[in-house]
Amino acid sequence: MRLLVAFAVIYFISISPVCAENTASTINIPTPAIESPLASKSLLLDISLIGQEKLVTVGQHGHILLSNDGKKWQQANVPVQVTLTNVFFLNEQLGWAVGHDATILHSQDGGLNWQVQQYLPLLEKPLFDIYFKNPQQGIAVGAYGQVFRTNDGGSTWQNEFHQEILLADDVEYLNELKAEDEAAYLDEITFILPHFNRLVQDGGSLFLLGETGLLAKSDDFGLTWQQFDNFYQGSFFSLARTKTGNVLVAGLRGHVFRSLNHGSQWDEVPTNTTALLNDIVFANDERIFILGNNGMLLISTDDGESFSKIPQQDGKTLIAGVWFKGQLIAVSDVGIKVVDLSQE
């Protein structure tokens, strides 16, 4: 998702029923984001590369910022003021962003201008991640197991309910409820699933990370999911494959797990921290960074077998990051940060 510091904003939600299907038509007309000279110093929740020479970041108040050097930032034209949680670019022109009110935005000009594809304020649920495998097919996920899928580039989005994520007892309960009370069943499925925090494409497979130890894999672009054996009960927020082919996953209370066999077995990696771990970032050498709350930064030079700590002096939460032009650039609750690596 996300229960500490940086993710508190994401969870300021209340729960209400959701319809089974919707399109890009809006329920209410959103208010455009306001241009602010302090946008780069406000709460920002995700940062991503556009190609190799451009950065994009998103955050509260509908802020979307662009930079060619990581120092000077240009604010994009954004039609909403909702908190934006994630941004993804398929190529140098086509991008999508998601956020609160089940908002989905789309840019066709490299992030300078954005249009609303979905805005559902009455749903009162945020989306946390979005991924497109080509210009037409995309998936967005979020709180309480929300999944929205498009096959037409985002012109329409359909809601999906993935019962295969549930425990067997919950499936039996839902089947009984559906037979007894259809309205109660439709209400129950709006909040019975855990939060879906992150989508990670890895070759031909798509990984889904979430609450309560949820880690699942799909080989049909999320139409069906197969869960890994539950080896940790807490939330996961980031997954990445190392240069040697091993898989790392990170989450709550400083937990990092490593798999040498594509997920058949997971071994915990000691981190000596209880900070929430938000994002895994690779440098262009052997270094692996894990960004965490309270200024926690972990670094590995042995393919994730061990990590050392480089706590940042200001203690600000490192929410997401990228390796860009020889620097680790992160977003935080005080905006853009070039991370101090002098203690390595």
Side-chain angles (χ1 to χ4, degrees), residues 276-295:
L276 184 153
L277 301 177
N278 297 312
D279 198 15
I280 301 171
V281 179
F282 292 90
N284 55 7
D285 50 30
E286 78 280 1
R287 288 175 295 175
I288 302 171
F289 302 101
I290 300 183
L291 285 59
N293 279 11
N294 305 316

Side-chain angles (χ1 to χ4, degrees), residues 298-311:
L298 304 177
I299 180 172
S300 173
T301 57
D302 57 9
D303 200 62
E305 187 173 345
S306 65
F307 285 88
S308 57
K309 296 190 295 185
I310 311 177

